[in-house]
């Protein structure tokens, strides 16, 4: 017999019995665990079913909303789409007229009012849910910047003079950091070159782009009686 092999000593009755007891204990423990788990699932099935239904409904809602959003964007682009290059080639009056048309595209009833004595309003739009918006248009040369003084002017007249719920400064150029910071702090919205592209060229609605709140009595720009 090879030296690498060793004969195993046969297990005695006590060893066999001990192994059997251990195996039985494991089976009993597994059965108890399974029973407890099954009981917990049975008790919780209404909650689990509700969560599954809620998750399914939410997934369907998100999918439908996404499809609906794409369709609305496509419809807006089919109605009117303006590129930054086209904006840059416009004069001030044409710029104001196109901003009016973009508001109309987004569901506002809008009119151009810019000119002498416009009191910091070039376009005014009305919406059944969102209220009234005042747009101050600032057409600049490419790379031009709009400063804080424009924000001050819109802030001072949007509510008292125009009874507006929202005020926004729109430019085909850029705004200074101070102007953006001041506008954000005092609820004067702004559209710079990048946002203008998303609005006019990519099809985003202005109220979605700026996250405009619906009209309420406690809105920042309160209408005069």
């Amino acid at each position: 017999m090879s030296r690498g092999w060793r004969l195993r000593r046969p297990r005695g009755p006590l060893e066999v019995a001990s192994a059997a007891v251990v195996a039985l204990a494991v089976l009993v423990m597994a059965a108890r665990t399974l029973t407890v788990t099954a009981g917990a699932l049975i008790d919780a099935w209404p909650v689990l079913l509700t969560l599954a239904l809620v998750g399914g409904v939410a997934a369907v809602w998100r999918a439908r909303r996404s499809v609906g959003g794409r369709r609305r964007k496509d419809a807006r682009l089919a109605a009117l789409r303006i590129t930054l290059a086209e904006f840059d080639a416009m004069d001030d009056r044409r710029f104001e007229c196109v901003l009016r048309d973009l508001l109309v595209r987004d569901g506002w009833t809008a009119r151009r009012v810019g000119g002498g004595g416009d009191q910091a309003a070039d376009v005014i739009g009305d919406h059944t849910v969102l209220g009234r918006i005042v747009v101050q248009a600032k057409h600049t040369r490419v790379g031009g910047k709009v400063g804080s003084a424009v924000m001050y002017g819109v802030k001072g007249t949007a509510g008292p003079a125009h009874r507006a719920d929202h005020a926004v400064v729109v430019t085909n150029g850029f705004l200074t950091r101070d102007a953006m910071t001041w506008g954000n702090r005092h609820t004067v919205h702004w559209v710079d070159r990048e946002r203008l592209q998303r609005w006019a060229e990519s099809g985003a609605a202005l109220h979605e782009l700026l996250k405009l709140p619906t009209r309420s009595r406690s809105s920042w720009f309160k209408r005069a009686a």
Side-chain angles (χ1 to χ4, degrees):
M1 180 178 295
S2 173
R3 294 181 180 178
W5 294 91
R6 293 182 180 178
L7 291 175
R8 287 186 176 182
R9 178 178 60 84
R11 293 191 295 178
L14 291 177
E15 291 178 325
V16 173
S18 298
V21 170
V22 171
L24 180 60
V26 171
L27 289 175
V28 170
M29 186 177 295
R32 288 180 177 176
T33 302
L34 182 61
T35 300
V36 172
T37 302
L41 290 175
I42 290 173
D43 292 339
W45 77 265
V47 176
L48 296 176
L49 179 60
T50 301
L51 291 175
L53 290 175
V54 170
V57 170
V60 172
W61 178 79
R62 285 194 297 268
R64 294 185 63 180
R65 184 179 182 185
S66 178
V67 172
R70 286 196 297 269
R71 288 177 178 173
R72 288 191 295 272
K73 180 180 288 188
D74 291 342
R76 287 192 292 266
L77 290 175
L80 181 63
R81 179 177 181 271
I82 308 294
T83 66
L84 289 179
E86 290 173 317
F87 277 119
D88 293 339
M90 296 176 183
D91 58 20
D92 293 351
R93 181 183 178 86
R94 178 59 180 160
F95 185 59
E96 295 167 4
C97 290
V98 170
L99 296 184
R100 174 204 61 197
D101 295 343
L102 285 168
L103 282 177
V104 172
R105 183 199 73 177
D106 291 353
W108 300 76
T109 301
R111 65 189 187 278
R112 177 185 173 273
V113 295
D118 61 19
Q119 299 185 83
D122 295 311
V123 179
I124 294 178
D126 290 288
H127 194 282
T128 54
V129 176
L130 299 167
R132 175 169 291 180
I133 189 172
V134 164
V135 176
Q136 172 68 284
K138 287 298 178 182
H139 189 270
T140 72
R141 60 180 178 79
V142 178
K145 287 191 175 184
V146 176
S148 301
V150 176
M151 297 290 185
Y152 306 155
V154 175
K155 170 75 173 183
T157 62
H162 304 293
R163 299 177 298 148
D165 300 285
H166 317 284
V168 56
V169 174
V170 182
T171 180
N172 64 314
F174 303 92
L175 289 95
T176 64
R177 184 180 301 275
D178 288 343
M180 291 186 289
T181 301
W182 196 92
N184 292 339
R185 183 179 301 144
H186 297 284
T187 326
V188 178
H189 301 280
W190 48 270
V191 175
D192 60 358
R193 190 172 182 83
E194 185 270 334
R195 289 183 176 180
L196 182 61
Q197 184 177 39
R198 290 166 58 191
W199 178 25
E201 191 171 345
S202 299
L206 183 65
H207 59 277
E208 295 173 354
L209 182 66
L210 299 180
K211 296 180 174 59
L212 297 181
T214 56
R215 179 175 53 191
S216 66
R217 292 181 180 179
S218 60
S219 61
W220 183 83
F221 291 119
K222 293 184 179 179
R223 294 197 180 195

